Amino acid sequence: MNELANVVELHGVYKAIYDHDILHDIHLEVREGEFLTLLGPSGCGKTTLLRLISGFEEPTQGSILIDHKNVVGLPPHRRHVHTVFQSYALFPHMTVFENVAFGLRCQQVPRQEIHTRVMDVLKMVKLEKYPERKPHQLSGGQQQRVAIARAAVNRPRVLLLDEPLSSLDYRLRKTMQIELKQLQRTMGITFIFVTHDQEEALSMSDRVVIMQEGTIEQIGTPREVYEEPRNLNVAKFIGEVNIFDGEIHYIGENKQATIHLLDKKRSAKTSRSFTPGEKIHVLIRPEDVRVWNQHEVNDTTDMFAGTVEEVTYKGTTVDLIVRLANNMTIAATEFFDEDDDRLEYKIGEQVWVSWTPGWEVLLPYEV
Amino acid sequence: MKSDDGFKYFSLSLIWFWFFLFALLPFSLIVIASFMGHSENHLLEPSFTLINYQQLNHPIYIRIFEKSFLIAGLSTLLCLLLGYPFAYCIARIQSRWKNLLILLVIIPFWTSSLIRSYALIAIIKAKGILNSFLLTLGIIHQPLSILFTNDAVIIGLVYNLLPFMILPIITNVERLDDRLIDAAHDLGANKLTTFRKIILPLTLPGIIAGSIMVFLPAMTLFYISDILGGAKSMLLGNLIQNQFLIAQNWPLGSAASIVLTLILATLILIYVWSTRGNKKRVGFKL
Amino acid sequence: MKLKSLITPYLGFIYLFFYIPIIVLIVYSFNNAQYSLLWHGFTWQWYSELFIDTDLWIAAYHSLALGIAAATLATMIGTLASVSIYRYRFLGRPILNALVFILILSPEIVIGVSLITLFTICNVPLGFISLLLSHTSFCIPFVIVTLYSRLVSFDKNIFEAAKDLGANDRLILTRIILPLLWQALLASWLLSFTLSLDDVIISYFVAGPEFEILPLKIYSMVRSGIKPEINALCTVLFAITFILVGLSQLALRKKA
């Protein structure tokens, strides 16, 4: 990718507090205009990373570049990035207008210009009718938008959002996710978004940065991290996944491979370089697993025999747990199809389990 | 950043300077003074001596300590007996009058306690209102001579310090979770048991806080014992006042102050220790 | 059941206990008799005697000036202190916290005694100056506690947001903290003013022979026996405090 389009770069960044490592050797490049999400469980360091970029914390080591300038040591307000806090942090004694205008006033922008810019950005967040209201007179979603407006009006290079939606209820959250995405496209500002909710991250982002315990596990598009997880951590964090131990039998060209799995040989696909005999993990997502009735199939050479152990109807899907021949279980999710009346499963039923070769992911064996 | 640091250092320097000069330093001086001697010409003589503490060990002074303790203790007990039910009831009121009722308790709390103690004189003196009232009702046949006795001092202390007992207990009771009481009833406890086993232990921090806030001043409000107890009444506060301003024996006065401080510090430590497991403390918290 | 019906009379009794002496005082200040308990008719006599007592006026003026000066000084220092304690992490912060706590609980007599010792050793003139320094000092902890408890009710992120948007510490203080705090500031000032006006014990030690203040004047008047003039004076002072307390509570109760 064109290096000049990187608006934020982190190189070799470490952050430790009292000998406790919070961030470890972070390398990150954020592209201009993208919606980037930092995703990870609590304590993984994503908020700290955000604060390093915004300037509220300083790295122990490494450099942070904004527009190719090293900003380490520069205070927050001189970095041309602004933060939207989880609690919104609106000034309770100021009106919506005064809140949004605050940053501009601090920079002593002329009054007329303040007025134009504030009203413009309020229009963008659809709050142009409420400039005189106080924060406590607004709903949660509206306060959110004021917080975004307040940060955006200063035309930052990057907008940093620290779990802005986690205090909203489910419905409002879903609405705001769509709104935020649209807002980002309209404004054209780079967003760096922090969340622990993987569904949120996948649905909103151009790219996702998956973090665990202070390190970046993988960076990629939502599709990439979901379908091609780099390691077990990532795979387990995003969505549900079945994990089996297996062995490489043969590596061919064009990503073809044959693997030993559960006493059977199967074809698979992988772009990694493995050596024959190498132990691997085989990952398959439940929704990629197909479950067949005894009578429905003829050729079961590539299939695994099993007994249905649990059935959960979930409205749009049926979740199954099937116990396989060697006492392992596999989770399968089948989608209801109105024409298909096959999807009646009974506990104890004998079934065949399979998936399309290539839909699995092969990973090097981890202890 | 630079200007910010400047502002911060200015503020902190000012604060530390003030606290050092007017809190730490004076107190250190008292500690030192308690180990010094004195003479006709000098209030304080730079020499190290334990004579002041030894003097305090004298029966006269010990009796003063005991008496102060006793009176302060009785006052605290009375405040507790009178104030706890009051505080409990007020705290549990749901109506909108509650704030007004609490305000009515706070108002005397802010007025000069000197004035209020003075007001008591008219009530409890031999020809005072209380006696007239009781005589008229036939409850007594001779006027009670309360003024200028220990009882008067106790009444004065209770009168002044009762709000200090009530307010912390109110705060504490307000935090009491009703559901605990309901749970107790549900499990079969009667009112007395519920009180003994649930309410009392849970309100204990408030009781202790209130008791300390009554006991501390009760040991030291010398003008109350002066006005209501008369010249004969010599409590710890009067002793200190006396030594400093009349007897001009500053070292002795300082020593007495130190002893007083130690007693009170012990009480506070007991309070802190007793609430150590309790996250919600009553009183000032920084 | 039986207990419930006792509650109201009990509460009433306690309230009467609080207020009867005060009411009696007020009533007697209008009583047309020097020492008698019986009502001899309404009179303004004692108030008019109060009015012409120049000594009292001087003492009152002194107390007022002292109170205003001490309250203002204490509020200013206390504001800087509470804001600093709230916002900054610095060496000795827990010590300062403990110090404030200790000062509030310290017996006034120990404070008074230690201050007079300090002033004598440092040759500070006993009068307005010693009183001002002393009153300011014992008011500051109360200001700190009042303001701090208000500060912690704010969203901590507000200050970071302000910094993020370009405000320096001075701007944060003037544009955000002070406007949000003004009611607590007012209440602190009123509290300090009241504490200063009413202080007996500390003033007793640090006031010189020449600078008369009201509480000490009343104290000496009371020791020398009851005079109806005192009743009138006390009523007036009580009324003033009543108003101040009312104002302070109103200030604190108004919605932010």
Side-chain angles (χ1 to χ4, degrees):
Chain A
M1 197 71 201
N2 184 5
E3 255 205 12
L4 288 175
N6 287 338
V7 61
V8 175
E9 288 173 44
L10 280 87
H11 297 301
V13 168
Y14 288 75
K15 175 72 181 173
I17 296 187
Y18 302 134
D19 294 340
H20 182 62
D21 260 352
I22 302 199
L23 288 176
H24 209 75
D25 200 21
I26 301 287
H27 290 269
L28 181 62
E29 283 163 10
V30 182
R31 298 173 199 152
E32 174 121 34
E34 77 169 323
F35 194 118
L36 182 81
T37 299
L38 304 179
L39 173 66
S42 311
C44 69
K46 54 192 194 294
T47 301
T48 310
L49 186 49
L50 203 71
R51 287 171 67 85
L52 285 177
I53 301 177
S54 65
F56 287 111
E57 309 255 7
E58 293 292 346
T60 330
Q61 223 181 65
S63 58
I64 301 178
L65 307 176
I66 299 182
D67 278 337
H68 310 290
K69 260 182 28 190
N70 193 351
V71 296
V72 173
L74 221 53
H77 62 272
R78 302 237 255 129
R79 290 196 188 197
H80 298 302
V81 298
H82 289 300
T83 308
V84 177
F85 294 85
Q86 186 175 357
S87 61
Y88 318 142
L90 298 181
F91 306 128
H93 59 296
M94 296 187 188
T95 62
V96 165
F97 187 95
E98 286 165 350
N99 260 287
V100 177
F102 186 81
L104 298 174
R105 287 225 174 99
C106 285
Q107 286 155 41
Q108 295 172 322
V109 172
R111 271 186 55 198
Q112 198 44 32
E113 192 185 330
I114 293 185
H115 191 263
T116 329
R117 281 168 71 168
V118 169
M119 291 315 291
D120 279 345
V121 80
L122 282 180
K123 239 176 264 164
M124 240 193 276
V125 297
K126 298 190 213 128
L127 287 176
E128 71 270 20
K129 296 219 185 86
Y130 306 120
E132 292 307 309
R133 291 252 179 115
K134 290 259 177 78
H136 65 89
Q137 295 170 305
L138 302 173
S139 70
Q142 288 170 327
Q143 288 180 12
Q144 237 285 355
R145 286 184 258 153
V146 175
I148 294 175
R150 183 176 68 179
V153 76
N154 299 288
R155 299 196 191 130
R157 296 292 285 132
V158 186
L159 205 58
L160 307 169
L161 301 104
D162 189 359
E163 304 214 45
L165 305 182
S166 44
S167 49
L168 303 177
D169 67 77
Y170 182 77
R171 276 253 150 85
L172 190 53
R173 215 173 162 155
K174 290 277 164 224
T175 322
M176 286 306 296
Q177 281 169 9
I178 302 177
E179 273 198 35
L180 268 181
K181 187 79 181 135
Q182 284 174 347
L183 208 55
Q184 191 261 341
R185 289 228 180 88
T186 325
M187 287 178 173
I189 305 180
T190 314
F191 272 29
I192 302 183
F193 189 88
V194 164
T195 182
H196 59 272
D197 182 337
Q198 31 125 331
E199 206 190 296
E200 191 165 87
L202 293 183
S203 62
M204 296 174 78
S205 327
D206 292 326
R207 286 195 305 158
V208 181
V209 176
I210 308 213
M211 296 181 65
Q212 277 244 2
E213 289 182 12
T215 47
I216 294 182
E217 301 276 359
Q218 186 170 355
I219 305 179
T221 63
R223 186 158 181 176
E224 281 166 9
V225 299
Y226 188 79
E227 294 185 2
E228 292 160 40
R230 176 91 60 75
N231 56 36
L232 271 188
N233 273 341
V234 176
K236 284 198 270 193
F237 188 73
I238 307 248
E240 302 283 336
V241 71
N242 293 295
I243 305 175
F244 297 108
D245 296 343
E247 206 182 271
I248 300 279
H249 178 73
Y250 168 75
I251 296 277
E253 296 170 348
N254 257 355
K255 302 187 188 174
Q256 299 284 1
T258 321
I259 57 175
H260 277 303
L261 176 64
L262 303 169
D263 300 329
K264 288 216 171 173
K265 279 211 194 81
R266 281 185 61 92
S267 346
K269 280 209 182 92
T270 179
S271 43
R272 288 177 184 258
S273 43
F274 289 109
T275 47
E278 186 175 340
K279 281 172 85 175
I280 54 170
H281 287 302
V282 181
L283 275 59
I284 184 78
R285 300 257 182 219
E287 64 269 17
D288 293 336
V289 175
R290 300 301 305 277
V291 178
W292 306 89
N293 226 289
Q294 296 271 320
H295 339 287
E296 290 169 312
V297 284
N298 300 316
D299 178 16
T300 60
T301 27
D302 285 337
M303 299 192 183
F304 301 96
T307 321
V308 175
E309 207 167 75
E310 267 190 53
V311 183
T312 312
Y313 289 93
K314 276 195 171 162
T316 39
T317 58
V318 167
D319 290 350
L320 299 166
I321 307 270
V322 177
R323 194 161 285 277
L324 301 171
N326 62 345
N327 223 15
M328 303 221 71
T329 55
I330 186 169
T333 300
E334 302 250 270
F335 290 85
F336 271 114
D337 181 349
E338 294 250 351
D339 295 331
D340 213 336
D341 50 9
R342 283 190 284 125
L343 295 182
E344 288 281 330
Y345 294 97
K346 293 195 189 55
I347 296 186
E349 197 178 320
Q350 302 292 319
V351 290
W352 291 101
V353 170
S354 178
W355 60 83
T356 310
W359 284 15
E360 72 287 300
V361 172
L362 304 182
L363 290 177
Y365 189 78
E366 288 173 37
V367 210
Chain B
M1 249 345 188
K2 284 279 168 68
S3 71
D4 277 4
D5 278 349
F7 185 79
K8 169 177 170 181
Y9 287 130
F10 168 71
S11 303
L12 290 177
S13 312
L14 182 62
I15 297 162
W16 278 118
F17 172 74
W18 193 281
F19 273 116
F20 175 75
L21 199 57
F22 295 112
L24 291 171
L25 186 60
F27 187 72
S28 316
L29 289 175
I30 294 281
V31 175
I32 297 175
S34 68
F35 291 110
M36 288 166 64
H38 84 296
S39 69
E40 290 276 328
N41 299 322
H42 303 279
L43 283 171
L44 294 166
E45 242 174 40
S47 56
F48 183 83
T49 168
L50 289 174
I51 191 175
N52 302 303
Y53 289 100
Q54 289 168 338
Q55 272 189 293
L56 285 177
N57 214 3
H58 201 270
I60 299 185
Y61 294 117
I62 297 214
R63 225 177 304 151
I64 294 182
F65 276 104
E66 286 173 351
K67 195 172 164 204
S68 307
F69 234 89
L70 195 64
I71 290 188
L74 277 173
S75 309
T76 310
L77 192 61
L78 272 175
C79 280
L80 187 57
L81 291 172
L82 279 177
Y84 184 89
F86 181 85
Y88 188 83
C89 295
I90 299 270
R92 313 267 300 173
I93 290 181
Q94 307 283 5
S95 83
R96 58 202 164 94
W97 293 115
K98 183 175 177 184
N99 280 332
L100 179 64
L101 287 175
I102 296 184
L103 189 64
L104 286 178
V105 173
I106 291 181
I107 289 179
F109 175 81
W110 285 142
T111 54
S112 167
S113 77
L114 180 62
I115 299 180
R116 285 185 289 133
S117 309
Y118 168 72
L120 273 182
I121 296 181
I123 309 252
I124 60 179
K125 67 182 182 182
K127 294 213 194 119
I129 300 211
L130 183 64
N131 274 320
S132 320
F133 185 68
L134 293 175
L135 279 170
T136 331
L137 280 185
I139 300 180
I140 52 173
H141 301 289
Q142 261 197 327
L144 300 168
S145 91
I146 307 178
L147 195 55
F148 301 133
T149 66
N150 285 336
D151 297 335
V153 176
I154 294 182
I155 294 179
L157 288 173
V158 171
Y159 183 63
N160 276 294
L161 300 173
L162 193 52
F164 286 82
M165 175 65 80
I166 289 178
L167 293 173
I169 296 183
I170 289 185
T171 320
N172 195 215
V173 172
E174 275 178 345
R175 292 209 192 115
L176 204 56
D177 194 343
D178 263 343
R179 294 172 295 182
L180 292 173
I181 302 179
D182 288 343
H185 286 321
D186 182 64
L187 292 166
N190 62 15
K191 291 221 160 142
L192 187 61
T193 319
T194 312
F195 178 75
R196 257 191 333 123
K197 296 241 160 129
I198 310 263
I199 298 179
L200 199 56
L202 284 177
T203 52
L204 199 58
I207 293 176
I208 297 181
S211 303
I212 291 187
M213 291 185 70
V214 169
F215 192 83
L216 300 188
M219 290 276 279
T220 66
L221 283 176
F222 66 78
Y223 57 82
I224 293 187
S225 49
D226 200 20
I227 300 178
L228 294 171
K232 288 179 292 171
S233 172
M234 177 72 102
L235 298 180
L236 196 46
N238 305 96
L239 170 65
I240 297 177
Q241 164 211 11
N242 199 297
Q243 290 304 318
F244 263 88
L245 296 172
I246 303 177
Q248 302 274 322
N249 187 347
W250 285 30
L252 188 59
S254 306
S257 308
I258 298 294
V259 173
L260 175 65
T261 311
L262 287 174
I263 295 176
L264 302 182
T266 314
L267 287 174
I268 296 181
L269 282 174
I270 294 180
Y271 168 69
V272 171
W273 176 84
S274 75
T275 57
R276 71 200 182 295
N278 200 357
K279 288 230 167 132
K280 293 182 183 171
R281 280 189 221 169
V282 181
F284 306 111
K285 187 171 192 287
L286 282 179
Chain C
M1 291 50 54
K2 273 199 200 137
L3 221 55
K4 285 230 160 125
S5 61
L6 279 179
I7 291 183
T8 322
Y10 173 71
L11 293 183
F13 168 69
I14 301 277
Y15 277 113
L16 278 179
F17 176 61
F18 276 132
Y19 284 96
I20 283 188
I22 298 173
I23 296 174
V24 163
L25 192 74
I26 298 178
V27 165
Y28 276 126
S29 71
F30 294 107
N31 192 6
N32 197 358
Q34 274 238 333
Y35 299 109
S36 171
L37 276 183
L38 303 167
W39 183 254
H40 287 263
F42 189 95
T43 177
W44 286 107
Q45 180 189 355
W46 315 120
Y47 287 91
S48 51
E49 276 194 27
L50 205 63
F51 207 74
I52 56 176
D53 188 342
T54 34
D55 282 345
L56 269 183
W57 276 113
I58 295 177
Y61 170 69
H62 283 171
S63 281
L64 215 65
L66 178 63
I68 293 177
T72 312
L73 200 54
T75 306
M76 290 198 298
I77 298 180
T79 305
L80 281 180
S82 50
V83 170
S84 301
I85 295 178
Y86 178 69
R87 292 203 61 211
Y88 305 128
R89 254 167 242 155
F90 53 90
L91 197 66
R93 187 167 178 258
I95 299 181
L96 206 57
N97 282 349
L99 206 55
V100 174
F101 186 60
I102 290 174
L103 281 173
I104 292 187
L105 285 180
S106 285
E108 291 168 313
I109 197 169
V110 174
I111 296 180
V113 152
S114 59
L115 283 174
I116 185 70
T117 309
L118 177 73
F119 292 145
T120 309
I121 291 184
C122 297
N123 261 325
V124 174
L126 295 181
F128 183 74
I129 298 196
S130 61
L131 280 168
L132 179 61
L133 293 173
S134 311
H135 281 211
T136 307
S137 301
F138 76 69
C139 287
I140 289 179
F142 289 96
V143 174
I144 293 180
V145 169
T146 310
L147 292 180
Y148 193 85
S149 58
R150 195 75 166 89
L151 278 171
V152 295
S153 67
F154 299 154
D155 181 357
K156 246 191 153 32
N157 287 325
I158 294 184
F159 303 108
E160 283 203 340
K163 262 199 131 85
D164 181 56
L165 293 165
N168 60 17
D169 273 356
R170 194 184 53 84
L171 272 177
I172 291 183
L173 182 66
T174 51
R175 292 247 182 99
I176 303 198
I177 297 183
L178 290 184
L180 279 173
L181 223 46
W182 73 268
Q183 292 137 335
L185 282 174
L186 189 59
S188 299
W189 193 96
L190 287 172
L191 175 57
S192 303
F193 184 66
T194 317
L195 286 175
S196 166
L197 273 189
D198 289 341
D199 175 63
V200 173
I201 296 185
I202 296 182
S203 307
Y204 190 77
F205 286 98
V206 303
E210 274 145 35
F211 193 81
E212 294 260 29
I213 53 172
L214 214 48
L216 294 182
K217 193 106 175 75
I218 297 179
Y219 190 26
S220 57
M221 283 165 82
V222 165
R223 278 159 118 197
S224 48
I226 296 192
K227 273 190 343 212
E229 205 186 29
I230 304 180
N231 295 342
L233 178 58
C234 292
T235 307
V236 170
L237 289 175
F238 182 73
I240 294 178
T241 318
F242 194 99
I243 296 173
L244 286 176
V245 169
L247 281 176
S248 146
Q249 291 299 316
L250 272 174
L252 268 182
R253 261 170 230 287
K254 253 180 140 193
K255 230 185 176 276

